[in-house]
Amino acid sequence: MIVRPQMTSPPLEFDLSPDDQALFLAEVDELLQRVEESLVDLERSPDDQPLLDEIFRAAHTIKGSSATIGHARMASLTHAMETRLDDVRKRTASVTPELIEALLRALDVLKLLRDEVETRVAADVDVDAAAIAVERRVALRSLPPATDEETLRLTVTLEDGPWAAVRALQALLALGEHGRVLSSEPSQAEIEREDATIGRQLTVLVSSEQPVAVLLEALAAVPELGAVTAEAVARAETAPAPSTPVAVPRASSPTIRVDVARLDALLNLVGELVIDRTRLVQLGTSLIDQFGDHRILSDLQQTALHIGRITDELQEQVMKSRMLPVESVFNRLPRVVRDIAAKQGKQIEFIIEGKDTEVDRSVIEEIGDPLMHLIRNAADHGIEKPAERLASGKPGAGYLRLTASHTDSFIVIALEDDGRGIAVDRVKRKAVERGVVSQEQSERMSDEEAMQLIFSPGLSTAEKLSDVSGRGVGLDVVRANVEKINGSVEVESRQGAGTTFTIRLPLTLAIVQALLVRVAGGIFALPIHAVTETLRIEPEQIQRVNQREAVLLRDSVLPLVSLGHVFGVTEGGPRPNESRLVVAVHAANRQVGLIVDGLVGEQEIVIKPLSHLVGDFAGLSGAAILGDGSVALIVDVPALIVQAIRDNTTRMSHAA
């Protein structure tokens, strides 16, 4: 065998600085996502002209941006997409399923080409094949009858910078959506040339039946443009009509892009202020208790309270600046449903509600994968094919409904389908086969308890594997990812009628309300959303169930776990005849009672990651600095419950 040395290609080079690269990637990501969403919508509404114009404008902008930085392959493919979309806009071609499919595949290629700018490594993708698929002609339609139009001359001031050519192209495109661009100075060809110097002014002659206000509004949507003037001209373009030019001053943009790292740093500083605020209030109270209500101490206390209020407002504003609508996640999902339905010959109506519901960006980053899997699972295994649905008395088309809403300090996301539902008997059988539960345990389970088995590792009830889902890595990962961010996921299902998954997530992962408890001289924090209640247990109430201590609480068995034993910090513990203080905590449909030494009280805490020098402990999710400077360890309640229920041991292992 001849071994040839592996050849590596030289890194790609593009004409842009690091700051320009960040701007380019942010803008292209936004445009690619917008095109994907709009193409899926256009397939359902092929005659939606504004939607088509939006797709064309986005493709044209990507083409201009990529040409400006010297990304020839990206510019070439978007040019092919732009040409075909323009045919549809001019009504010389129609929107067909084949065209939408070709455009979506081209979009997937564009995403890989976009990554080239970030990694400087060439993607192994056939750009020419994607362009050829897009350029195939589609069915022609007749042109609409001509209408009366007015000719206008618009003069646009361009701001200095590397994106002037891109903004000029966007301005031409925006005007083209509402009329026919007769000419421009500089011309479109000159603007698109990489080495062209276009100056600071763009003059466009456009013929349109729309009022001038519509054209000016279209230009106002283009970022980084200066002043705009408009005047009517004669049809022959020989002399201006007796009208007064309209000057439109450009308003400054109400939004700016802020690097995520800066927001994270700002939030961290606010967290430190929250800690010091609490400490300052405590010191003021202690001084008054010690020295009496002296005037200076009273002024100090009032100042501390005022700083506390300002800090609260600052914290609230910083948290709001990090909030994003969940549509940034939801909008990626219609494409997934569309592709699965097309591949499997299914009809699925996908309904999204509440996508303007806001949540912290740290939570947004974590819910994408769990939602994607639930969507794939529902479309692949939940919704039946039309023939099966019709045979069972259902409409041929199934539906998926994804909703988001706020409840207290949580966001609730529900995914509902009207598919075949979950067969509880099959779940039990699979769980026994995989050794998740014994046959005796499965027979004692209620349907609700058995339904929770679908979240067990490696448990799938799919009749056959597919390349979409059903390969044994699934709902257990969904639950683990959700619980990792202090959320919960629950399932309800009726066989033959459908399934609903409900995810509850905290609005933010940075600052939480917690119940502080004392264990052997140390302080532990229990997130308040995981706390059910606190209770005092007498020795005679404790029973032995499966060789473990438990107590009967409102007809339910509550297993007891010593928090001191869990983390190895016991100091004697209660005497045999002493009562025990128990905090009942829950995750999903499971709960245990944590035995603690005392309650400190509720407090808002700032979550800090455990140091890499300390390592990761099973059952701990972070730490918090309290107002007096001491450290409280934050308990990972879901992980602790899983461990407590699974093992008969009371000591968790150090996983550093």
Side-chain angles (χ1 to χ4, degrees):
M1 181 179 66
I2 300 175
V3 179
R4 295 183 174 87
Q6 185 175 4
M7 303 297 292
T8 57
S9 301
L12 299 176
E13 294 184 3
F14 300 103
D15 184 19
L16 75 175
S17 66
D19 288 342
D20 288 340
Q21 175 174 313
L23 178 60
F24 173 85
L25 293 175
E27 187 172 64
V28 167
D29 285 342
E30 181 180 334
L31 292 170
L32 290 175
Q33 183 62 41
R34 189 187 308 167
V35 171
E36 183 170 88
E37 299 162 15
S38 300
L39 284 173
V40 175
D41 291 339
L42 186 66
E43 188 174 32
R44 294 194 294 260
S45 306
D47 295 323
D48 190 333
Q49 191 66 31
L51 189 60
L52 178 62
D53 290 340
E54 181 180 357
I55 299 171
F56 180 77
R57 181 173 63 222
H60 198 125
T61 303
I62 296 172
K63 170 189 167 183
S65 300
S66 55
T68 299
I69 68 170
H71 199 327
R73 296 206 299 169
M74 196 171 195
S76 173
L77 182 53
T78 46
H79 178 73
M81 296 173 66
E82 173 196 35
T83 301
R84 184 56 56 240
L85 289 165
D86 198 35
D87 287 342
V88 180
R89 291 172 75 235
K90 294 175 180 176
R91 303 190 180 182
T92 59
S94 299
V95 175
T96 65
E98 294 77 17
L99 175 61
I100 295 295
E101 183 68 24
L103 290 170
L104 286 172
R105 296 303 164 219
L107 195 68
D108 293 336
V109 174
L110 284 179
K111 292 177 183 178
L112 297 176
L113 297 178
R114 170 265 182 216
D115 292 343
E116 292 183 344
V117 179
E118 187 170 24
T119 65
R120 295 299 201 272
V121 177
D124 183 15
V125 62
D126 192 338
V127 177
D128 291 338
I132 290 172
V134 168
E135 289 171 345
R136 291 195 182 105
R137 302 294 297 179
V138 288
L140 299 179
R141 302 195 307 190
S142 60
L143 290 171
T147 56
D148 293 334
E149 296 179 339
E150 182 182 15
T151 303
L152 297 167
R153 177 184 290 111
L154 294 106
T155 303
V156 182
T157 302
L158 304 171
E159 295 185 0
D160 287 330
W163 300 96
V166 175
R167 303 314 179 198
L169 280 175
Q170 287 181 273
L172 285 177
L173 181 58
L175 293 173
E177 291 180 4
H178 302 284
R180 293 183 298 116
V181 175
L182 304 176
S183 65
S184 68
E185 178 61 38
S187 67
Q188 181 170 334
E190 291 171 330
I191 293 171
E192 291 180 342
R193 284 212 319 267
E194 296 178 29
D195 58 348
T197 302
I198 67 169
R200 295 196 58 196
Q201 184 170 292
L202 171 69
T203 302
V204 186
L205 205 63
V206 60
S207 179
S208 174
E209 58 185 74
Q210 299 286 346
V212 65
V214 173
L215 300 180
L216 296 176
E217 184 179 352
L219 288 175
V222 179
E224 299 178 10
L225 291 185
V228 179
T229 61
E231 60 180 338
V233 299
R235 183 174 297 275
E237 201 182 346
T238 56
S243 61
T244 303
V246 181
V248 184
R250 295 287 300 180
S252 59
S253 174
T255 61
I256 59 171
R257 294 186 187 274
V258 179
D259 192 292
V260 167
R262 291 189 179 183
L263 284 178
D264 289 341
L266 184 58
L267 181 63
N268 186 61
L269 292 173
V270 170
E272 297 295 333
L273 273 179
V274 171
I275 294 170
D276 289 339
R277 171 205 64 188
T278 305
R279 177 60 173 158
L280 193 59
V281 171
Q282 288 177 347
L283 288 174
T285 302
S286 298
L287 287 172
I288 290 178
D289 291 341
Q290 184 173 355
F291 298 106
D293 192 13
H294 191 278
R295 181 180 60 80
I296 295 179
L297 292 180
S298 178
D299 290 345
L300 176 63
Q301 184 78 335
Q302 290 299 319
T303 302
L305 291 174
H306 179 69
I307 291 176
R309 286 194 296 270
I310 296 299
T311 303
D312 287 341
E313 292 180 13
L314 179 60
Q315 175 187 328
E316 181 181 357
Q317 293 302 318
V318 171
M319 297 306 300
K320 284 182 178 179
S321 71
R322 292 169 51 90
M323 302 294 276
L324 294 173
V326 294
E327 73 174 325
S328 60
V329 175
F330 282 13
N331 286 348
R332 304 190 211 122
L333 302 174
R335 166 81 186 276
V336 176
V337 175
R338 175 213 176 264
D339 287 351
I340 294 175
K343 188 170 187 177
Q344 299 187 355
K346 296 179 179 179
Q347 300 172 16
I348 304 177
E349 181 184 4
F350 189 31
I351 305 163
I352 296 180
E353 299 173 353
K355 62 182 181 180
D356 57 343
T357 304
E358 291 189 330
V359 67
D360 190 281
R361 58 164 294 273
S362 58
V363 178
I364 287 282
E365 292 173 353
E366 299 291 341
I367 65 174
D369 288 344
L371 271 182
M372 185 71 74
H373 187 88
L374 290 179
I375 288 287
R376 288 181 178 276
N377 190 69
D380 187 20
H381 298 309
I383 303 294
E384 315 94 327
K385 291 186 176 181
E388 182 181 345
R389 293 179 60 86
L390 292 172
S392 60
K394 295 181 180 180
Y399 76 80
L400 284 174
R401 177 178 284 108
L402 181 65
T403 61
S405 60
H406 280 155
T407 301
D408 298 327
S409 59
F410 286 84
I411 178 175
V412 179
I413 299 175
L415 177 65
E416 175 190 2
D417 70 63
D418 69 341
R420 57 174 57 95
I422 298 174
V424 175
D425 292 341
R426 187 183 300 167
V427 171
K428 289 183 178 181
R429 186 174 69 251
K430 289 284 187 180
V432 173
E433 290 175 1
R434 295 294 178 92
V436 176
V437 296
S438 66
Q439 182 64 42
E440 182 183 357
Q441 288 174 319
S442 71
E443 291 173 356
R444 291 202 309 263
M445 282 183 169
S446 66
D447 286 352
E448 288 186 2
E449 292 172 331
M451 199 78 68
Q452 303 306 313
L453 293 173
I454 66 174
F455 295 106
S456 302
L459 188 68
S460 173
T461 59
E463 292 293 341
K464 58 182 180 180
L465 298 178
S466 75
D467 59 355
V468 176
S469 56
R471 295 189 177 273
V473 179
L475 295 178
D476 62 312
V477 177
V478 170
R479 169 166 276 180
N481 287 348
V482 170
E483 291 183 345
K484 181 178 68 176
I485 56 174
N486 296 322
S488 64
V489 56
E490 300 174 359
V491 59
E492 296 180 4
S493 183
R494 290 186 300 155
Q495 190 168 354
T499 302
T500 301
F501 286 91
T502 304
I503 298 176
R504 285 172 56 88
L505 298 166
L507 292 181
T508 177
L509 304 182
I511 300 175
V512 298
Q513 195 75 14
L515 174 65
L516 303 182
V517 298
R518 182 174 289 105
V519 177
I523 303 296
F524 289 83
L526 303 172
I528 201 68
H529 66 263
V531 176
T532 304
E533 61 183 301
T534 61
L535 54 156
R536 179 72 66 172
I537 302 297
E538 299 299 330
E540 59 270 18
Q541 295 178 270
I542 300 175
Q543 305 176 24
R544 302 291 295 184
V545 178
N546 293 330
Q547 300 182 351
R548 300 181 61 180
E549 290 187 337
V551 65
L552 194 63
L553 180 63
R554 290 186 291 276
D555 299 326
S556 297
V557 175
L558 180 70
L560 298 180
V561 176
S562 169
L563 203 57
H565 287 155
V566 167
F567 299 112
V569 293
T570 55
E571 289 184 357
R575 296 186 181 88
N577 295 326
E578 283 184 344
S579 62
R580 303 186 185 185
L581 184 60
V582 174
V583 180
V585 295
H586 68 275
N589 293 325
R590 301 162 292 181
Q591 70 172 0
V592 300
L594 301 179
I595 300 174
V596 301
D597 295 339
L599 302 179
V600 178
E602 286 188 31
Q603 184 173 317
E604 192 175 57
I605 61 174
V606 180
I607 300 176
K608 302 285 187 182
L610 290 173
S611 169
H612 66 279
L613 297 176
V614 176
D616 294 329
F617 280 82
L620 292 179
S621 60
I625 302 174
L626 304 180
D628 60 0
S630 61
V631 175
L633 296 175
I634 303 171
V635 177
D636 183 348
V637 172
L640 186 146
I641 290 178
V642 168
Q643 186 82 359
I645 291 177
R646 184 173 56 213
D647 301 337
N648 282 330
T649 60
T650 58
R651 180 71 177 270
M652 288 195 176
S653 59
H654 178 216

